[in-house]
mmCIF file of all heavy atoms in Angstrom:
data_model
loop_
_atom_site.group_PDB
_atom_site.id
_atom_site.type_symbol
_atom_site.label_atom_id
_atom_site.label_comp_id
_atom_site.label_asym_id
_atom_site.label_seq_id
_atom_site.Cartn_x
_atom_site.Cartn_y
_atom_site.Cartn_z
ATOM 1 N N ALA A 1 -8.191 0.688 -6.242
ATOM 2 C CA ALA A 1 -7.812 1.539 -5.128
ATOM 3 C C ALA A 1 -8.831 1.364 -4.007
ATOM 4 O O ALA A 1 -10.029 1.314 -4.236
ATOM 5 C CB ALA A 1 -7.761 3.005 -5.553
ATOM 6 N N THR A 2 -8.336 1.232 -2.776
ATOM 7 C CA THR A 2 -9.234 1.091 -1.633
ATOM 8 C C THR A 2 -8.500 1.526 -0.356
ATOM 9 O O THR A 2 -7.299 1.437 -0.249
ATOM 10 C CB THR A 2 -9.715 -0.368 -1.447
ATOM 11 O OG1 THR A 2 -10.582 -0.444 -0.279
ATOM 12 C CG2 THR A 2 -8.572 -1.324 -1.259
ATOM 13 N N HIS A 3 -9.298 1.973 0.585
ATOM 14 C CA HIS A 3 -8.781 2.152 1.946
ATOM 15 C C HIS A 3 -8.621 0.759 2.536
ATOM 16 O O HIS A 3 -9.297 -0.201 2.140
ATOM 17 C CB HIS A 3 -9.761 2.963 2.784
ATOM 18 C CG HIS A 3 -9.288 3.274 4.158
ATOM 19 N ND1 HIS A 3 -9.697 2.583 5.279
ATOM 20 C CD2 HIS A 3 -8.429 4.239 4.598
ATOM 21 C CE1 HIS A 3 -9.082 3.090 6.330
ATOM 22 N NE2 HIS A 3 -8.325 4.085 5.949
ATOM 23 N N HIS A 4 -7.712 0.589 3.488
ATOM 24 C CA HIS A 4 -7.438 -0.739 4.030
ATOM 25 C C HIS A 4 -8.660 -1.325 4.743
ATOM 26 O O HIS A 4 -8.907 -2.528 4.658
ATOM 27 C CB HIS A 4 -6.246 -0.701 4.983
ATOM 28 C CG HIS A 4 -5.813 -2.049 5.482
ATOM 29 N ND1 HIS A 4 -6.377 -2.667 6.578
ATOM 30 C CD2 HIS A 4 -4.911 -2.934 4.996
ATOM 31 C CE1 HIS A 4 -5.836 -3.834 6.763
ATOM 32 N NE2 HIS A 4 -4.937 -4.039 5.801
ATOM 33 N N ALA A 5 -9.415 -0.486 5.472
ATOM 34 C CA ALA A 5 -10.473 -0.994 6.342
ATOM 35 C C ALA A 5 -11.478 -1.877 5.645
ATOM 36 O O ALA A 5 -11.813 -2.969 6.143
ATOM 37 C CB ALA A 5 -11.170 0.179 7.035
ATOM 38 N N PRO A 6 -12.062 -1.501 4.494
ATOM 39 C CA PRO A 6 -13.046 -2.349 3.837
ATOM 40 C C PRO A 6 -12.461 -3.325 2.802
ATOM 41 O O PRO A 6 -13.198 -4.013 2.105
ATOM 42 C CB PRO A 6 -13.960 -1.355 3.115
ATOM 43 C CG PRO A 6 -13.042 -0.262 2.727
ATOM 44 C CD PRO A 6 -11.994 -0.186 3.796
ATOM 45 N N SER A 7 -11.137 -3.415 2.732
ATOM 46 C CA SER A 7 -10.513 -4.189 1.637
ATOM 47 C C SER A 7 -10.836 -5.683 1.698
ATOM 48 O O SER A 7 -10.834 -6.362 0.683
ATOM 49 C CB SER A 7 -8.990 -3.994 1.628
ATOM 50 O OG SER A 7 -8.413 -4.437 2.857
ATOM 51 N N SER A 8 -11.125 -6.203 2.914
ATOM 52 C CA SER A 8 -11.489 -7.615 3.023
ATOM 53 C C SER A 8 -12.795 -7.963 2.355
ATOM 54 O O SER A 8 -13.117 -9.144 2.138
ATOM 55 C CB SER A 8 -11.517 -8.039 4.492
ATOM 56 O OG SER A 8 -12.531 -7.333 5.185
ATOM 57 N N LEU A 9 -13.573 -6.939 1.971
ATOM 58 C CA LEU A 9 -14.841 -7.148 1.285
ATOM 59 C C LEU A 9 -14.666 -7.352 -0.222
ATOM 60 O O LEU A 9 -15.621 -7.685 -0.906
ATOM 61 C CB LEU A 9 -15.793 -5.990 1.531
ATOM 62 C CG LEU A 9 -16.380 -5.901 2.939
ATOM 63 C CD1 LEU A 9 -17.156 -4.584 3.088
ATOM 64 C CD2 LEU A 9 -17.299 -7.059 3.228
ATOM 65 N N LEU A 10 -13.478 -7.077 -0.740
ATOM 66 C CA LEU A 10 -13.279 -7.157 -2.201
ATOM 67 C C LEU A 10 -13.685 -8.530 -2.781
ATOM 68 O O LEU A 10 -14.386 -8.552 -3.817
ATOM 69 C CB LEU A 10 -11.831 -6.816 -2.555
ATOM 70 C CG LEU A 10 -11.472 -5.360 -2.616
ATOM 71 C CD1 LEU A 10 -9.982 -5.150 -2.786
ATOM 72 C CD2 LEU A 10 -12.212 -4.670 -3.783
ATOM 73 N N PRO A 11 -13.302 -9.643 -2.179
ATOM 74 C CA PRO A 11 -13.748 -10.941 -2.778
ATOM 75 C C PRO A 11 -15.258 -11.072 -2.821
ATOM 76 O O PRO A 11 -15.814 -11.628 -3.777
ATOM 77 C CB PRO A 11 -13.118 -11.972 -1.828
ATOM 78 C CG PRO A 11 -11.944 -11.270 -1.242
ATOM 79 C CD PRO A 11 -12.350 -9.859 -1.075
ATOM 80 N N TRP A 12 -15.967 -10.527 -1.827
ATOM 81 C CA TRP A 12 -17.414 -10.565 -1.844
ATOM 82 C C TRP A 12 -18.000 -9.691 -2.959
ATOM 83 O O TRP A 12 -18.866 -10.121 -3.707
ATOM 84 C CB TRP A 12 -17.975 -10.139 -0.479
ATOM 85 C CG TRP A 12 -19.475 -10.241 -0.394
ATOM 86 C CD1 TRP A 12 -20.186 -11.354 -0.043
ATOM 87 C CD2 TRP A 12 -20.420 -9.215 -0.660
ATOM 88 N NE1 TRP A 12 -21.539 -11.078 -0.069
ATOM 89 C CE2 TRP A 12 -21.705 -9.771 -0.438
ATOM 90 C CE3 TRP A 12 -20.318 -7.878 -1.049
ATOM 91 C CZ2 TRP A 12 -22.893 -9.055 -0.626
ATOM 92 C CZ3 TRP A 12 -21.499 -7.149 -1.218
ATOM 93 C CH2 TRP A 12 -22.766 -7.731 -1.003
ATOM 94 N N PHE A 13 -17.479 -8.485 -3.075
ATOM 95 C CA PHE A 13 -17.957 -7.559 -4.116
ATOM 96 C C PHE A 13 -17.712 -8.127 -5.513
ATOM 97 O O PHE A 13 -18.517 -7.903 -6.427
ATOM 98 C CB PHE A 13 -17.276 -6.193 -3.995
ATOM 99 C CG PHE A 13 -17.763 -5.359 -2.845
ATOM 100 C CD1 PHE A 13 -16.858 -4.795 -1.942
ATOM 101 C CD2 PHE A 13 -19.109 -5.096 -2.677
ATOM 102 C CE1 PHE A 13 -17.315 -3.992 -0.885
ATOM 103 C CE2 PHE A 13 -19.587 -4.290 -1.648
ATOM 104 C CZ PHE A 13 -18.657 -3.762 -0.738
ATOM 105 N N LEU A 14 -16.626 -8.829 -5.699
ATOM 106 C CA LEU A 14 -16.206 -9.263 -7.031
ATOM 107 C C LEU A 14 -16.445 -10.756 -7.290
ATOM 108 O O LEU A 14 -15.892 -11.310 -8.228
ATOM 109 C CB LEU A 14 -14.727 -8.935 -7.242
ATOM 110 C CG LEU A 14 -14.416 -7.427 -7.171
ATOM 111 C CD1 LEU A 14 -12.909 -7.188 -7.259
ATOM 112 C CD2 LEU A 14 -15.129 -6.645 -8.270
ATOM 113 N N ALA A 15 -17.266 -11.367 -6.456
ATOM 114 C CA ALA A 15 -17.518 -12.795 -6.582
ATOM 115 C C ALA A 15 -18.069 -13.206 -7.937
ATOM 116 O O ALA A 15 -17.818 -14.321 -8.432
ATOM 117 C CB ALA A 15 -18.468 -13.268 -5.462
ATOM 118 N N ASP A 16 -18.832 -12.318 -8.580
ATOM 119 C CA ASP A 16 -19.458 -12.632 -9.860
ATOM 120 C C ASP A 16 -18.605 -12.209 -11.055
ATOM 121 O O ASP A 16 -19.055 -12.288 -12.202
ATOM 122 C CB ASP A 16 -20.817 -11.943 -9.958
ATOM 123 C CG ASP A 16 -21.800 -12.538 -8.928
ATOM 124 O OD1 ASP A 16 -21.665 -13.718 -8.551
ATOM 125 O OD2 ASP A 16 -22.717 -11.783 -8.504
ATOM 126 N N PHE A 17 -17.395 -11.718 -10.765
ATOM 127 C CA PHE A 17 -16.534 -11.268 -11.859
ATOM 128 C C PHE A 17 -15.341 -12.196 -12.001
ATOM 129 O O PHE A 17 -14.742 -12.609 -11.030
ATOM 130 C CB PHE A 17 -16.040 -9.838 -11.581
ATOM 131 C CG PHE A 17 -17.117 -8.805 -11.608
ATOM 132 C CD1 PHE A 17 -17.884 -8.553 -10.465
ATOM 133 C CD2 PHE A 17 -17.376 -8.079 -12.759
ATOM 134 C CE1 PHE A 17 -18.887 -7.604 -10.475
ATOM 135 C CE2 PHE A 17 -18.370 -7.101 -12.760
ATOM 136 C CZ PHE A 17 -19.129 -6.893 -11.638
ATOM 137 N N ASP A 18 -14.976 -12.467 -13.225
ATOM 138 C CA ASP A 18 -13.784 -13.242 -13.508
ATOM 139 C C ASP A 18 -12.676 -12.283 -13.915
ATOM 140 O O ASP A 18 -12.524 -11.958 -15.101
ATOM 141 C CB ASP A 18 -14.081 -14.260 -14.631
ATOM 142 C CG ASP A 18 -12.871 -15.123 -14.926
ATOM 143 O OD1 ASP A 18 -11.968 -15.218 -14.098
ATOM 144 O OD2 ASP A 18 -12.802 -15.728 -16.046
ATOM 145 N N MET A 19 -11.966 -11.792 -12.945
ATOM 146 C CA MET A 19 -10.914 -10.820 -13.242
ATOM 147 C C MET A 19 -9.729 -10.973 -12.304
ATOM 148 O O MET A 19 -9.886 -11.470 -11.170
ATOM 149 C CB MET A 19 -11.474 -9.410 -13.107
ATOM 150 C CG MET A 19 -11.842 -8.988 -11.691
ATOM 151 S SD MET A 19 -12.226 -7.226 -11.500
ATOM 152 C CE MET A 19 -13.702 -7.046 -12.510
ATOM 153 N N LYS A 20 -8.589 -10.615 -12.797
ATOM 154 C CA LYS A 20 -7.399 -10.555 -11.971
ATOM 155 C C LYS A 20 -7.215 -9.087 -11.568
ATOM 156 O O LYS A 20 -7.431 -8.169 -12.324
ATOM 157 C CB LYS A 20 -6.168 -11.009 -12.757
ATOM 158 C CG LYS A 20 -6.200 -12.491 -13.141
ATOM 159 C CD LYS A 20 -4.937 -12.871 -13.909
ATOM 160 C CE LYS A 20 -4.984 -14.336 -14.314
ATOM 161 N NZ LYS A 20 -3.759 -14.736 -15.067
ATOM 162 N N TYR A 21 -6.818 -8.913 -10.307
ATOM 163 C CA TYR A 21 -6.644 -7.527 -9.858
ATOM 164 C C TYR A 21 -5.537 -7.406 -8.822
ATOM 165 O O TYR A 21 -5.185 -8.383 -8.137
ATOM 166 C CB TYR A 21 -7.958 -6.965 -9.310
ATOM 167 C CG TYR A 21 -8.533 -7.694 -8.112
ATOM 168 C CD1 TYR A 21 -8.103 -7.336 -6.807
ATOM 169 C CD2 TYR A 21 -9.474 -8.693 -8.230
ATOM 170 C CE1 TYR A 21 -8.627 -7.984 -5.709
ATOM 171 C CE2 TYR A 21 -9.976 -9.334 -7.128
ATOM 172 C CZ TYR A 21 -9.568 -8.979 -5.861
ATOM 173 O OH TYR A 21 -10.085 -9.616 -4.756
ATOM 174 N N GLU A 22 -5.014 -6.219 -8.716
ATOM 175 C CA GLU A 22 -4.043 -5.832 -7.711
ATOM 176 C C GLU A 22 -4.668 -4.705 -6.869
ATOM 177 O O GLU A 22 -5.424 -3.898 -7.376
ATOM 178 C CB GLU A 22 -2.750 -5.359 -8.320
ATOM 179 C CG GLU A 22 -2.091 -6.382 -9.233
ATOM 180 C CD GLU A 22 -0.913 -5.814 -9.994
ATOM 181 O OE1 GLU A 22 -0.395 -4.738 -9.575
ATOM 182 O OE2 GLU A 22 -0.529 -6.396 -11.014
ATOM 183 N N VAL A 23 -4.292 -4.693 -5.612
ATOM 184 C CA VAL A 23 -4.895 -3.691 -4.693
ATOM 185 C C VAL A 23 -3.899 -2.591 -4.420
ATOM 186 O O VAL A 23 -2.722 -2.831 -4.109
ATOM 187 C CB VAL A 23 -5.306 -4.355 -3.364
ATOM 188 C CG1 VAL A 23 -5.815 -3.292 -2.380
ATOM 189 C CG2 VAL A 23 -6.388 -5.402 -3.601
ATOM 190 N N LEU A 24 -4.365 -1.338 -4.576
ATOM 191 C CA LEU A 24 -3.574 -0.150 -4.238
ATOM 192 C C LEU A 24 -4.228 0.455 -2.993
ATOM 193 O O LEU A 24 -5.351 0.948 -3.066
ATOM 194 C CB LEU A 24 -3.556 0.857 -5.368
ATOM 195 C CG LEU A 24 -2.890 2.195 -5.065
ATOM 196 C CD1 LEU A 24 -1.405 2.018 -4.831
ATOM 197 C CD2 LEU A 24 -3.159 3.189 -6.192
ATOM 198 N N PHE A 25 -3.536 0.433 -1.874
ATOM 199 C CA PHE A 25 -4.083 1.009 -0.666
ATOM 200 C C PHE A 25 -3.897 2.529 -0.626
ATOM 201 O O PHE A 25 -2.817 3.030 -0.895
ATOM 202 C CB PHE A 25 -3.480 0.394 0.596
ATOM 203 C CG PHE A 25 -3.885 -1.029 0.822
ATOM 204 C CD1 PHE A 25 -2.981 -2.075 0.720
ATOM 205 C CD2 PHE A 25 -5.204 -1.343 1.118
ATOM 206 C CE1 PHE A 25 -3.364 -3.372 0.910
ATOM 207 C CE2 PHE A 25 -5.618 -2.636 1.313
ATOM 208 C CZ PHE A 25 -4.680 -3.674 1.215
ATOM 209 N N VAL A 26 -4.974 3.254 -0.286
ATOM 210 C CA VAL A 26 -4.932 4.705 -0.217
ATOM 211 C C VAL A 26 -5.525 5.110 1.142
ATOM 212 O O VAL A 26 -5.955 4.264 1.928
ATOM 213 C CB VAL A 26 -5.729 5.357 -1.371
ATOM 214 C CG1 VAL A 26 -5.067 5.056 -2.704
ATOM 215 C CG2 VAL A 26 -7.192 4.876 -1.378
ATOM 216 N N ASN A 27 -5.543 6.400 1.430
ATOM 217 C CA ASN A 27 -5.902 6.859 2.771
ATOM 218 C C ASN A 27 -7.391 6.922 3.074
ATOM 219 O O ASN A 27 -7.777 7.021 4.235
ATOM 220 C CB ASN A 27 -5.298 8.255 2.986
ATOM 221 C CG ASN A 27 -3.791 8.222 3.079
ATOM 222 O OD1 ASN A 27 -3.230 7.306 3.683
ATOM 223 N ND2 ASN A 27 -3.125 9.228 2.532
ATOM 224 N N SER A 28 -8.221 6.866 2.021
ATOM 225 C CA SER A 28 -9.667 6.905 2.256
ATOM 226 C C SER A 28 -10.414 6.427 1.042
ATOM 227 O O SER A 28 -9.859 6.332 -0.055
ATOM 228 C CB SER A 28 -10.121 8.345 2.576
ATOM 229 O OG SER A 28 -10.061 9.163 1.417
ATOM 230 N N THR A 29 -11.690 6.118 1.230
ATOM 231 C CA THR A 29 -12.530 5.682 0.111
ATOM 232 C C THR A 29 -12.756 6.817 -0.880
ATOM 233 O O THR A 29 -12.903 6.593 -2.067
ATOM 234 C CB THR A 29 -13.870 5.170 0.634
ATOM 235 O OG1 THR A 29 -14.448 6.143 1.511
ATOM 236 C CG2 THR A 29 -13.733 3.844 1.364
ATOM 237 N N SER A 30 -12.759 8.041 -0.393
ATOM 238 C CA SER A 30 -12.893 9.188 -1.300
ATOM 239 C C SER A 30 -11.636 9.375 -2.124
ATOM 240 O O SER A 30 -11.726 9.680 -3.338
ATOM 241 C CB SER A 30 -13.189 10.464 -0.501
ATOM 242 O OG SER A 30 -14.504 10.419 0.006
ATOM 243 N N GLU A 31 -10.454 9.202 -1.515
ATOM 244 C CA GLU A 31 -9.246 9.271 -2.303
ATOM 245 C C GLU A 31 -9.220 8.178 -3.370
ATOM 246 O O GLU A 31 -8.760 8.405 -4.493
ATOM 247 C CB GLU A 31 -8.013 9.124 -1.406
ATOM 248 C CG GLU A 31 -6.695 9.267 -2.185
ATOM 249 C CD GLU A 31 -5.461 9.073 -1.344
ATOM 250 O OE1 GLU A 31 -5.572 9.026 -0.095
ATOM 251 O OE2 GLU A 31 -4.357 8.958 -1.918
ATOM 252 N N ALA A 32 -9.765 7.004 -3.029
ATOM 253 C CA ALA A 32 -9.865 5.919 -4.015
ATOM 254 C C ALA A 32 -10.691 6.347 -5.213
ATOM 255 O O ALA A 32 -10.348 6.094 -6.369
ATOM 256 C CB ALA A 32 -10.431 4.671 -3.373
ATOM 257 N N ALA A 33 -11.860 7.001 -4.961
ATOM 258 C CA ALA A 33 -12.729 7.447 -6.016
ATOM 259 C C ALA A 33 -12.069 8.516 -6.853
ATOM 260 O O ALA A 33 -12.225 8.571 -8.081
ATOM 261 C CB ALA A 33 -14.060 7.926 -5.434
ATOM 262 N N ILE A 34 -11.342 9.398 -6.219
ATOM 263 C CA ILE A 34 -10.641 10.469 -6.929
ATOM 264 C C ILE A 34 -9.568 9.876 -7.869
ATOM 265 O O ILE A 34 -9.423 10.329 -9.023
ATOM 266 C CB ILE A 34 -10.024 11.482 -5.948
ATOM 267 C CG1 ILE A 34 -11.138 12.272 -5.244
ATOM 268 C CG2 ILE A 34 -9.078 12.449 -6.657
ATOM 269 C CD1 ILE A 34 -10.663 13.099 -4.058
ATOM 270 N N LYS A 35 -8.843 8.890 -7.366
ATOM 271 C CA LYS A 35 -7.840 8.267 -8.228
ATOM 272 C C LYS A 35 -8.463 7.592 -9.448
ATOM 273 O O LYS A 35 -7.909 7.626 -10.557
ATOM 274 C CB LYS A 35 -7.023 7.244 -7.426
ATOM 275 C CG LYS A 35 -5.960 7.879 -6.520
ATOM 276 C CD LYS A 35 -5.050 6.856 -5.931
ATOM 277 C CE LYS A 35 -3.898 7.504 -5.177
ATOM 278 N NZ LYS A 35 -2.994 8.273 -6.051
ATOM 279 N N LEU A 36 -9.637 7.001 -9.243
ATOM 280 C CA LEU A 36 -10.360 6.401 -10.370
ATOM 281 C C LEU A 36 -10.797 7.488 -11.338
ATOM 282 O O LEU A 36 -10.658 7.335 -12.566
ATOM 283 C CB LEU A 36 -11.571 5.608 -9.843
ATOM 284 C CG LEU A 36 -12.456 4.985 -10.922
ATOM 285 C CD1 LEU A 36 -11.688 3.989 -11.773
ATOM 286 C CD2 LEU A 36 -13.671 4.290 -10.253
ATOM 287 N N GLN A 37 -11.362 8.533 -10.812
ATOM 288 C CA GLN A 37 -11.847 9.631 -11.653
ATOM 289 C C GLN A 37 -10.712 10.204 -12.521
ATOM 290 O O GLN A 37 -10.910 10.523 -13.691
ATOM 291 C CB GLN A 37 -12.434 10.745 -10.766
ATOM 292 C CG GLN A 37 -12.972 11.926 -11.523
ATOM 293 C CD GLN A 37 -13.276 13.122 -10.611
ATOM 294 O OE1 GLN A 37 -12.417 13.526 -9.814
ATOM 295 N NE2 GLN A 37 -14.478 13.633 -10.672
ATOM 296 N N LYS A 38 -9.527 10.277 -11.948
ATOM 297 C CA LYS A 38 -8.352 10.840 -12.658
ATOM 298 C C LYS A 38 -7.708 9.847 -13.619
ATOM 299 O O LYS A 38 -6.771 10.206 -14.335
ATOM 300 C CB LYS A 38 -7.323 11.361 -11.654
ATOM 301 C CG LYS A 38 -7.779 12.556 -10.868
ATOM 302 C CD LYS A 38 -6.700 12.999 -9.910
ATOM 303 C CE LYS A 38 -7.068 14.286 -9.177
ATOM 304 N NZ LYS A 38 -6.017 14.710 -8.215
ATOM 305 N N GLY A 39 -8.181 8.614 -13.600
ATOM 306 C CA GLY A 39 -7.593 7.622 -14.520
ATOM 307 C C GLY A 39 -6.327 6.946 -13.999
ATOM 308 O O GLY A 39 -5.626 6.306 -14.740
ATOM 309 N N GLU A 40 -6.063 7.100 -12.696
ATOM 310 C CA GLU A 40 -4.858 6.539 -12.138
ATOM 311 C C GLU A 40 -4.986 5.046 -11.767
ATOM 312 O O GLU A 40 -3.995 4.356 -11.540
ATOM 313 C CB GLU A 40 -4.455 7.340 -10.876
ATOM 314 C CG GLU A 40 -4.127 8.794 -11.189
ATOM 315 C CD GLU A 40 -3.810 9.606 -9.923
ATOM 316 O OE1 GLU A 40 -3.651 8.979 -8.839
ATOM 317 O OE2 GLU A 40 -3.741 10.829 -10.020
ATOM 318 N N VAL A 41 -6.219 4.607 -11.655
ATOM 319 C CA VAL A 41 -6.517 3.177 -11.355
ATOM 320 C C VAL A 41 -7.689 2.742 -12.247
ATOM 321 O O VAL A 41 -8.356 3.564 -12.887
ATOM 322 C CB VAL A 41 -6.848 2.924 -9.874
ATOM 323 C CG1 VAL A 41 -5.635 3.252 -8.964
ATOM 324 C CG2 VAL A 41 -8.038 3.768 -9.444
ATOM 325 N N ASP A 42 -7.956 1.432 -12.266
ATOM 326 C CA ASP A 42 -9.042 0.895 -13.089
ATOM 327 C C ASP A 42 -10.361 0.827 -12.357
ATOM 328 O O ASP A 42 -11.440 1.024 -12.954
ATOM 329 C CB ASP A 42 -8.678 -0.513 -13.573
ATOM 330 C CG ASP A 42 -7.383 -0.551 -14.339
ATOM 331 O OD1 ASP A 42 -7.346 0.099 -15.400
ATOM 332 O OD2 ASP A 42 -6.422 -1.186 -13.879
#
């Protein structure tokens, strides 16, 4: 989960990880953290 604005940084953040992922756009970075906390995203 991510807000659209910083989403282009995902490849940089995950450069050292070998993982497949899908992006779920939400309205803010805090909403992204809340969705993670609730178990709605990984």
Side-chain angles (χ1 to χ4, degrees):
T2 179
H3 185 259
H4 186 273
S7 61
S8 62
L9 288 172
L10 279 172
W12 184 85
F13 285 128
L14 298 175
D16 295 332
F17 293 85
D18 181 19
M19 67 170 65
K20 295 180 180 180
Y21 62 87
E22 301 172 19
V23 176
L24 174 66
F25 289 114
V26 295
N27 290 322
S28 71
T29 51
S30 289
E31 183 183 349
I34 291 170
K35 282 189 173 296
L36 177 61
Q37 181 192 52
K38 291 181 176 179
E40 298 176 12
V41 296
D42 302 297

